[in-house]
């Protein structure tokens, strides 16, 4: 069953000036639209993540760089002056994770985003059918091999099963905290129970994410579980939404349900593939323009004016008729 959201716009509000700006972990961004971590951007464009980073900087937003980036973290950092976070996994060899974190600190990254929903790789049948090859990543050259070319099945699955630490648990967040002073956000939360554990573990932010729907079949759409996470967090740390954002109206819905910002993944890669840096900027600008119009037509001149009363689910509508 799909959860349908309807807007409840307010009229006769002065919307002659719309301010979409906000702050994430104290860093100002032009709109609550950030770039989600996606890997291997050179598969989409020869300039790879450096083009995406330049577009993020031009649009005054935050890019979360994937651990699987095809450009080195240092190349991305030196490509432009901007705030960026680094997404990581924890490896069986903890020293490799520690090296990655220290490189992020040295390169000027402002936060670590720990993906927590991949103790094992989900069954990605397209990758298995196509025998997806896992290339050697520049960031790990000379450290350990990320290459895997299986006789059958997915090379990515072969690599992750060899490298990722499936034993990593909530108690190990303390270990990650011990090796860095950067803020830590956890990405992959879908329930109130895990949101509460994240708060208790002392993380600095939560990203509600189902990994693009590629990990566990029958996982919920992130917009449908956002509110239960927001309610248990109670404003103690930022909550961001990842997944399914294709329109500015999706951004508005997420903020009305309590998110501080959204992450955009696939559309960014599509824009990169189409027109490089300019294509990424075009995607972000389209979302910002649609979001601005939605704010104006809903009677919200600022981000703070967007409230839960601006959206209603179909269930709420039916209950109101009883």
């Amino acid at each position: 069953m799909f959860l349908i959201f309807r807007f409840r716009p307010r009229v006769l509000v002065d919307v002659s000036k719309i301010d979409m700006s906000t702050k994430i972990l104290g860093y100002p961004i032009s709109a609550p639209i950030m770039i989600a971590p996606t890997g291997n951007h050179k598969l989409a464009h020869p300039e790879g993540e450096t083009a995406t980073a330049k577009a993020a900087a031009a649009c005054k937003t935050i890019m979360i760089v994937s651990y699987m980036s095809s450009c080195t973290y240092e190349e991305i950092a030196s490509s432009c002056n901007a705030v960026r976070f680094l997404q990581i996994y924890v490896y069986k060899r903890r020293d490799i994770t520690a090296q990655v974190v220290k490189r992020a600190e040295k390169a000027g990254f402002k936060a670590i985003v720990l993906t927590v929903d991949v103790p094992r790789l989900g069954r990605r049948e397209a990758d298995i059918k196509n025998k997806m090859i896992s290339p050697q990543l520049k960031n790990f050259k000379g450290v350990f091999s990320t290459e895997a070319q299986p006789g059958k099945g997915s090379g990515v699955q072969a690599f992750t099963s060899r490298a990722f630490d499936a034993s990593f648990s909530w108690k190990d967040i303390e270990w990650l905290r011990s090796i860095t002073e950067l803020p830590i956000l956890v990405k992959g939360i879908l329930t109130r129970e895990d949101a509460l554990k994240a708060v208790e573990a002392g993380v600095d932010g939560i990203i509600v994410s189902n990994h693009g729907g590629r990990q566990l079949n029958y996982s919920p759409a992130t917009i449908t579980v956002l509110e239960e996470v927001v309610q248990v967090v109670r404003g103690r740390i930022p909550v961001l939404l990842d997944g399914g954002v294709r329109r500015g109206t999706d951004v508005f819905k997420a903020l009305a349900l309590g998110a501080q910002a959204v992450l955009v993944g696939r559309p960014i890669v599509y824009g990169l593939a189409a027109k490089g840096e300019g294509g990424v900027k075009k995607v972000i600008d389209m979302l910002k323009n649609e979001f601005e119009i939605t704010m104006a037509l809903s009677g919200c001149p600022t981000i703070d004016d967007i409230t839960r009363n601006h959206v209603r689910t179909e269930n709420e509508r039916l209950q109101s008729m009883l």
Side-chain angles (χ1 to χ4, degrees), residues 255-283:
L255 266 65
L257 293 171
Q260 275 71 56
V262 302
L263 275 56
V264 183
R266 287 184 177 94
I268 296 296
V269 179
Y270 301 155
L272 180 66
K275 290 190 176 183
E277 177 186 343
V280 175
K281 287 193 287 189
K282 181 66 174 178
V283 168

Side-chain angles (χ1 to χ4, degrees), residues 89-106:
Y89 294 97
V90 172
Y91 303 100
K92 292 177 181 177
R93 284 184 53 189
R94 294 286 178 90
D95 62 306
I96 294 175
T97 302
Q99 286 180 39
V100 169
V101 170
K102 293 304 178 186
R103 285 175 60 191
E105 290 179 335
K106 188 175 180 180

